[in-house]
Amino acid sequence: MNWITLVIAGMLEVVWAIGLKYTNGFSRLWPTVGTVLAIITSIWLLAIAMKSLPVGTAYAIWVGIGAVGTAIAGVILFGESANIGRVLSLVLIIAGIIGLKLSTAT
């Protein structure tokens, strides 16, 4: 269950990272409210996952999910570049996430 909680926390990190773009510097009320709620929930779920996962592993996976998800969302939503360098870099991050999961006992 702790891994599922961590993955949900990571997906919410994507939500709030993309949400920041829509807040227009926190000048738009509803995108700001949604983004702040996603931030709070994401960090809360990360803290819950850290009760039983190593802090370094949990944090690295949370950040990795957020980074990869946000980069993919940026390509889809904002037409950002999906060149070979970016794609290979994202693949390396995913490999690191998988490696951390496989090397963690819990």
Side-chain angles (χ1 to χ4, degrees):
M1 187 65 168
N2 50 355
W3 288 103
I4 293 168
T5 302
L6 182 60
V7 169
I8 294 168
M11 291 188 301
L12 282 168
E13 185 184 4
V14 176
V15 170
W16 67 256
I18 294 299
L20 287 172
K21 180 83 167 171
Y22 291 103
T23 67
N24 195 30
F26 296 110
S27 65
R28 297 177 62 215
L29 177 63
W30 294 116
T32 297
V33 169
T35 299
V36 169
L37 288 174
I39 291 169
I40 291 167
T41 307
S42 179
I43 293 172
W44 176 65
L45 291 173
L46 173 62
I48 289 171
M50 282 185 177
K51 285 181 178 181
S52 57
L53 293 174
V55 66
T57 299
Y59 184 74
I61 290 175
W62 180 70
V63 169
I65 292 169
V68 170
T70 302
I72 292 169
V75 169
I76 294 167
L77 296 173
F78 307 121
E80 295 175 359
S81 172
N83 63 50
I84 191 71
R86 284 187 81 183
V87 171
L88 288 176
S89 297
L90 293 174
V91 168
L92 289 172
I93 294 170
I94 292 167
I97 291 169
I98 292 168
L100 285 169
K101 166 61 174 115
L102 294 175
S103 66
T104 301
T106 54

